[in-house]
Amino acid sequence: VGCSGDDADDVTLVEGRVEKVDAIDNTFRPESIEVPAGTEVEWTNVGRSSHDVLPVDEDDWGAPAGSFEPDDVYRHRFVEPGTYAYYCSLHGTTTHGMVGTVVVTK
């Protein structure tokens, strides 16, 4: 579930940092990452199947079905501390199967 920190004004954003996640058929690797606020996360579909990257809490980020085909790349910059759970609706549910988590720290 996405959430923001208690005092977002105390957050120092990093610039130019990219953390990579691969969407492999039926799994995200790594499944969970921890990054400082301001980090851009880059998902690459290195599998043979279509995928999507959907936030569990329906935030305004993610790659919908049909826009994340093999070899496609999706990027999102996380600026607020919190825990952001996501999943592929084609190969899992919000809690099982192809799921992942981005933990954003101050």
Side-chain angles (χ1 to χ4, degrees):
V1 174
C3 62
S4 58
D6 293 336
D7 193 1
D9 293 334
D10 290 341
V11 175
T12 301
L13 299 179
V14 297
E15 296 291 336
R17 179 169 171 174
V18 177
E19 190 74 26
K20 298 186 178 202
V21 176
D22 288 336
I24 301 169
D25 294 327
N26 301 322
T27 190
F28 291 109
R29 286 197 190 137
E31 188 173 295
S32 182
I33 59 173
E34 184 174 313
V35 299
T39 300
E40 183 175 59
V41 177
E42 177 181 284
W43 288 265
T44 303
N45 185 344
V46 298
R48 296 171 289 159
S49 301
S50 298
H51 295 292
D52 55 21
V53 178
L54 301 178
V56 169
D57 62 2
E58 300 181 19
D59 274 346
D60 190 21
W61 62 275
S67 68
F68 197 54
E69 301 298 319
D71 299 320
D72 283 349
V73 174
Y74 169 71
R75 294 176 184 91
H76 180 74
R77 186 173 187 227
F78 290 88
V79 296
E80 292 189 38
T83 300
Y84 299 86
Y86 63 91
Y87 68 107
C88 173
S89 68
L90 305 173
H91 300 102
T93 67
T94 58
T95 58
H96 296 318
M98 195 169 175
V99 297
T101 306
V102 177
V103 177
V104 181
T105 61
K106 286 187 177 185

